[in-house]
């Protein structure tokens, strides 16, 4: 049996990170020094800096026994890699330190995460655990772990699908929204409560999904935004339409209102957060000036990753952080000004590594990015009424579990302006100052150009 520890992971990274092939490694988007990453975790502002944790397997470019990788930044632009924060080294997390979140209390950084435990007969138990750090680098798992197990759930929920706690504080009490699967095969958000972050109890079924809204809602996140209650979830198998929820695993925003007497969320509106191919498990923080900022994994489950297929030694990256606003009943996602300032302003027909392109739209416009033989196309089709990203020209096709054609994704919108952010392996398009967004990964070798078709 393999023994995983934080020290072992850090030694492995130091000894092997220089062997990683940098061909597709992003310049402006966060990625780990080596290995596999997926969900962002513990996204938090602590002691004057932004901290980002993430699901991490350092020993290969594939999903394995999950650790928590860790980085910090003063400006959300330049990231400093920190030692691994968690390893699956305890009986209650021996098969993976799954996703979770962070909260600051009394100048101490607390994290809550899911421990994944697989028994000899193959049965799975998912439990919630706590750890803390005084310096934001070295973490201690508390003696009371696990602090919540499936035994606290009502019988209508499936205890083996109970994961991804997101911490928040309200009126002097601590809460966590946690994903759970309902026996009716719909996603559910559970609310746990605590007075001290050590002893937790079941509070309520916070929100239960409807048929067609996905069979499991991963990575829930609750917060208030401009006077409205919000929940972000990442549903598996949300019922697709012509343009919406085309990914087998998507990300959605649910707008509504919480009844704090019954501790239930009353949903009023649900919408897909991003209409590209790759935007999953977004997590938010509120920073020192009150901005609500989210970051997401630029990938999705069940799809191949060319850096892994080509033995490059790494896989997965994060979106650029973006600010959420709710303005006159409309959700808006905007690239942070500090991120834009750090990007090169691109022009057509020039060789590109990373940067941004601004497009004023009066009629249909179509662009190609890449080489003559290896490229993506994107743009605005006014006749169809959409903004789109099309990956059918790529040499390395990211193929997923979807049984339908996923090469093109689009969003219906009367587009007037595009902000297009390009990096070595991704494109992010913000439409009409953030009314809609599309995020997709790609893997193109050689020098690349933006050409208007």
């Amino acid at each position: 049996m393999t023994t995983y520890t934080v020290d072992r992971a850090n030694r492995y990274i130091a000894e092997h990170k220089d062997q990683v092939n940098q061909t597709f490694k992003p310049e402006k988007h966060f990625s780990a020094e080596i290995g596999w990453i997926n969900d962002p975790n513990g996204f938090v502002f602590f002691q004057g800096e932004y901290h980002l944790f993430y699901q991490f397997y350092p020993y290969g470019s594939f999903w394995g026994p999950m650790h928590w990788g860790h980085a910090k930044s003063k400006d959300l632009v330049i990231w400093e890699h920190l030692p691994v924060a968690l390893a699956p080294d305890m009986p209650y997390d021996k098969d993976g330190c799954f996703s979770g979140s962070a909260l600051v209390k009394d100048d101490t950084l607390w994290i809550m995460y899911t421990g994944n435990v697989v028994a000899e007969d193959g049965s799975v138990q998912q439990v919630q655990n706590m750890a803390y750090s005084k310096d934001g680098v070295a973490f201690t798992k508390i003696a009371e772990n696990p602090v919540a197990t499936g035994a606290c759930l009502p019988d209508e929920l499936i205890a083996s699908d109970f994961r991804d706690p997101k911490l928040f504080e309200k009126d002097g009490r601590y809460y966590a929204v946690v994903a759970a699967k309902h026996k009716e095969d719909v996603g559910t958000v559970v609310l746990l409560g605590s007075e001290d972050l050590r002893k937790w109890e079941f509070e309520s079924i916070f929100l239960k999904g409807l048929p067609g809204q996905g069979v499991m809602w991963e990575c829930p996140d609750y917060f208030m935004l401009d006077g409205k209650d919000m929940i972000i979830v990442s549903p598996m198998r949300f019922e697709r339409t012509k343009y919406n929820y085309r990914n087998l695993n998507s990300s959605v925003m649910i707008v509504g209102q919480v009844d704090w007497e019954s501790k239930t969320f009353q949903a009023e509106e649900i919408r897909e957060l991003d209409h590209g191919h790759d935007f999953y498990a977004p997590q938010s923080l509120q920073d020192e000036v009150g901005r609500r900022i989210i970051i997401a994994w630029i990938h999705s489950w069940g799809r191949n990753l060319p850096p892994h297929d080509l033995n490059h030694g790494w896989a997965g990256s994060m979106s650029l952080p973006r600010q959420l606003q709710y303005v006159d009943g409309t959700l808006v996602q905007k690239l942070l000004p500090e991120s834009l300032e750090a990007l090169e302003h691109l022009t057509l027909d020039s060789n590109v590594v990373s940067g941004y392109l601004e497009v004023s739209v009066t009629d249909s416009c179509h662009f190609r990015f890449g080489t003559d033989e290896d490229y993506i196309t994107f743009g605005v089709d006014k006749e169809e009424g959409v903004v789109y990203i099309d990956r059918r020209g790529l040499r390395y096709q990211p193929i997923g579990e979807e049984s339908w054609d996923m090469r093109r994704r689009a969003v219906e919108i009367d587009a007037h302006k595009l902000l297009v952010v390009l990096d070595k392996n991704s494109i992010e398009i913000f439409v009409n100052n953030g009314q809609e967004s599309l995020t997709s990964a790609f893997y193109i070798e050689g020098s690349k150009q933006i050409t208007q078709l």
Side-chain angles (χ1 to χ4, degrees):
M1 178 179 174
T2 303
T3 301
Y4 295 105
T5 67
V6 166
D7 288 343
R8 180 187 171 212
N10 289 326
R11 286 196 304 271
Y12 183 88
I13 294 166
E15 292 169 3
H16 294 86
K17 63 183 181 180
D18 292 339
Q19 300 170 16
V20 168
N21 188 312
Q22 302 288 323
T23 300
F24 301 127
K25 207 79 160 34
E27 285 197 343
K28 302 299 184 179
H29 292 70
F30 179 82
S31 64
E33 294 176 289
I34 191 172
W36 162 280
I37 71 171
N38 54 282
D39 305 351
N41 295 158
F43 192 36
V44 70
F45 190 78
F46 176 64
Q47 295 181 350
E49 296 176 304
Y50 299 92
H51 286 253
L52 173 66
F53 302 84
Y54 50 91
Q55 290 288 275
F56 183 40
Y57 185 63
Y59 303 104
S61 54
F62 52 88
W63 189 88
M66 286 290 98
H67 296 54
W68 271 39
H70 187 194
K72 68 176 183 178
S73 174
K74 294 183 182 299
D75 56 9
L76 292 170
V77 174
I78 299 171
W79 291 94
E80 176 188 349
H81 294 286
L82 294 176
V84 171
L86 298 177
D89 57 4
M90 299 297 288
Y92 50 76
D93 60 19
K94 70 180 184 68
D95 297 297
C97 297
F98 279 13
S99 288
S101 56
L103 182 145
V104 179
K105 175 192 175 187
D106 300 331
D107 207 34
T108 298
L109 184 57
W110 286 83
I111 57 179
M112 189 176 194
Y113 71 97
T114 297
N116 193 55
V117 181
V118 182
E120 290 185 5
D121 63 2
S123 61
V124 173
Q125 184 183 26
Q126 294 184 340
V127 301
Q128 314 317 315
N129 304 308
M130 301 295 303
Y132 67 91
S133 174
K134 295 289 188 180
D135 62 4
V137 177
F139 284 84
T140 300
K141 298 174 183 179
I142 68 173
E144 294 92 333
N145 285 335
V147 296
T149 72
C152 77
L153 299 177
D155 289 341
E156 62 193 277
L157 301 179
I158 300 172
S160 60
D161 283 303
F162 177 44
R163 58 185 177 270
D164 311 337
K166 178 64 193 298
L167 291 161
F168 65 97
E169 183 181 0
K170 178 178 173 57
D171 299 332
R173 184 169 172 80
Y174 301 101
Y175 294 97
V177 285
V178 190
K181 189 173 183 180
H182 200 279
K183 290 180 179 177
E184 294 175 7
D185 218 26
V186 296
T188 309
V189 177
V190 165
L191 187 69
L192 304 181
S194 174
E195 295 293 337
D196 59 4
L197 295 173
R198 290 177 178 270
K199 297 177 182 178
W200 289 82
E201 59 187 29
F202 174 83
E203 299 272 356
S204 66
I205 292 180
F206 200 52
L207 179 61
K208 177 185 173 184
L210 300 174
Q213 292 182 338
V215 298
M216 178 69 183
W217 287 350
E218 292 197 308
C219 301
D221 191 351
Y222 164 79
F223 50 87
M224 289 198 72
L225 183 65
D226 301 319
K228 297 295 291 186
D229 290 299
M230 306 277 181
I231 291 180
I232 294 176
V233 291
S234 292
M236 296 176 164
R237 300 181 182 272
F238 200 108
E239 188 173 290
R240 72 184 188 278
T241 65
K242 183 177 181 180
Y243 295 111
N244 298 325
Y245 314 111
R246 304 292 298 177
N247 298 332
L248 203 60
N249 305 292
S250 53
S251 296
V252 304
M253 173 72 84
I254 306 171
V255 182
Q257 187 170 351
V258 176
D259 179 344
W260 282 105
E261 287 192 9
S262 63
K263 294 180 179 175
T264 56
F265 187 99
Q266 312 300 320
E268 299 169 1
E269 174 194 355
I270 185 167
R271 55 163 285 176
E272 189 170 14
L273 259 179
D274 190 280
H275 282 79
H277 299 84
D278 302 289
F279 190 86
Y280 195 70
Q283 188 170 107
S284 77
L285 62 74
Q286 187 172 41
D287 71 3
E288 79 283 12
V289 294
R291 297 183 299 181
R292 179 61 58 175
I293 299 171
I294 64 169
I295 191 168
W297 179 35
I298 300 186
H299 192 53
S300 186
W301 294 112
R303 294 189 185 150
N304 65 305
L305 270 159
H308 169 68
D309 299 338
L310 297 168
N311 297 315
H312 284 191
W314 71 278
S317 57
M318 299 298 178
S319 69
L320 289 180
R322 53 183 73 171
Q323 183 178 1
L324 289 181
Q325 295 175 308
Y326 195 66
V327 183
D328 297 328
T330 300
L331 183 70
V332 175
Q333 302 177 69
K334 291 186 176 181
L335 188 67
L336 301 181
E338 50 265 50
S339 296
L340 191 62
E341 291 172 6
L343 293 168
E344 179 184 353
H345 188 197
L346 303 175
T347 58
L348 295 175
D349 301 319
S350 60
N351 287 331
V352 173
V353 175
S354 63
Y356 72 96
L357 179 73
E358 293 179 297
V359 180
S360 295
V361 180
T362 56
D363 201 352
S364 294
C365 52
H366 309 278
F367 301 89
R368 186 182 71 192
F369 179 66
T371 69
D372 290 342
E373 300 81 23
D374 189 11
Y375 57 88
I376 60 169
T377 55
F378 64 91
V380 179
D381 188 321
K382 283 289 188 179
E383 185 175 341
E384 188 180 352
V386 301
V387 177
Y388 70 91
I389 298 172
D390 194 321
R391 301 199 293 195
R392 73 189 68 197
L394 290 175
R395 180 181 302 150
Y396 299 116
Q397 284 287 334
I399 305 298
E401 297 172 325
E402 293 89 354
S403 59
W404 49 94
D405 191 348
M406 279 295 296
R407 292 177 296 178
R408 182 180 188 263
R409 280 227 61 189
V411 60
E412 285 186 290
I413 187 169
D414 182 15
H416 306 291
K417 181 181 179 181
L418 304 182
L419 173 64
V420 182
V421 179
L422 292 159
D423 206 337
K424 288 169 69 176
N425 74 326
S426 65
I427 178 171
E428 294 181 85
I429 302 177
F430 299 87
V431 188
N432 296 350
N433 296 313
Q435 289 181 358
E436 295 286 359
S437 66
L438 302 92
T439 303
S440 297
F442 56 77
Y443 303 91
I444 299 171
E445 294 175 322
S447 61
K448 295 170 276 291
Q449 289 186 328
I450 309 174
T451 304
Q452 187 161 2
L453 303 175

